[in-house]
Amino acid sequence: MTDRDGTDDDGADDDEWGRVGRSRLFARPASVPSPPSVGERCRDCGAVVPAGTAVCPACLTPVGAPRREAGTGRRPERLAGGALRLVFRSGGRHLVVPRGAELRLGRSSSWAPEASALLAHEETVSGRHATVLHTADGAAWVTEVAQGATNGTRLNDRVLVPDRAERLHNGDRIELGPRIGFVVRGIEDEPAGPDD
């Protein structure tokens, strides 16, 4: 029984771990070493950067770089020539879409020759999944292929309607099925309509 002063009849403190009645089942845990680090969070986008990786796989920010702030002259969002970059989450892989071009996303090497090398072994991505259009004026649009994307396409967690173009903005996340995703980088601030 415990007295008012917080001790048992045997005089021991109540706050020890594992105390059941008058016997101790567990001793206080010894100092347990921390598990090895699996990585750190990117200061720009918050993605986990695996240990030993030089750049964030999601946004390509160098590891250890200070957080980017507007107007500080840090890493430019736009590529030379106004190209658009689709930065995949895994392995720092990316695809570049020049102005005035359309990039087809899928596993079919005949339908999507640029992307198929990157997506060929991704079973949840369809052969003809989606397209990204980068207009001459800097606007960008994503469209899911009708009757093509079996596992669907999401833009910032919103499911796309097949054959309906959706405007893209810097930092948008696109998911091709349940496992493959990328971040969009390099879009002009005020894109025009898809037919302009």
Side-chain angles (χ1 to χ4, degrees):
M1 188 134 214
T2 304
D3 296 346
R4 294 183 128 197
D5 64 355
T7 60
D8 284 340
D9 292 337
D10 63 359
D13 289 332
D14 268 353
D15 64 344
E16 290 193 37
W17 288 27
R19 187 176 242 354
V20 178
R22 293 182 188 269
S23 65
R24 273 186 225 170
L25 297 177
F26 307 103
R28 282 193 186 271
S31 173
V32 178
S34 300
S37 175
V38 295
E40 61 184 83
R41 292 234 176 244
C42 174
R43 294 181 185 184
D44 262 358
C45 71
V48 175
V49 180
T53 304
V55 297
C56 172
C59 69
L60 300 180
T61 297
V63 171
R67 185 171 177 83
R68 185 178 342 150
E69 296 177 20
T72 60
R74 296 268 341 278
R75 184 177 55 86
E77 287 290 320
R78 294 185 185 87
L79 300 174
L84 182 71
R85 182 178 294 179
L86 311 179
V87 183
F88 286 79
R89 284 190 308 235
S90 59
R93 304 174 300 172
H94 67 275
L95 293 169
V96 174
V97 187
R99 278 187 181 219
E102 178 181 72
L103 178 70
R104 294 176 175 176
L105 300 169
R107 291 186 299 139
S108 169
S109 60
S110 61
W111 187 79
E114 295 91 358
S116 65
L118 194 79
L119 302 172
H121 301 291
E122 304 297 342
E123 295 176 0
T124 60
V125 176
S126 297
R128 298 175 182 213
H129 203 105
T131 61
V132 173
L133 173 66
H134 190 197
T135 62
D137 64 358
W141 303 83
V142 62
T143 306
E144 179 179 291
V145 175
Q147 301 173 350
T150 305
N151 290 314
T153 307
R154 290 182 305 285
L155 171 60
N156 297 325
D157 298 323
R158 187 172 46 84
V159 176
L160 297 184
V161 175
D163 269 349
R164 182 185 299 169
E166 294 285 339
R167 186 164 70 183
L168 296 173
H169 300 91
N170 247 5
D172 279 348
R173 296 176 331 276
I174 297 176
E175 306 286 330
L176 305 175
R179 295 189 305 192
I180 302 303
F182 58 87
V183 177
V184 179
R185 297 285 181 211
I187 298 174
E188 293 293 334
D189 294 332
E190 296 295 328
D195 297 325
D196 293 346

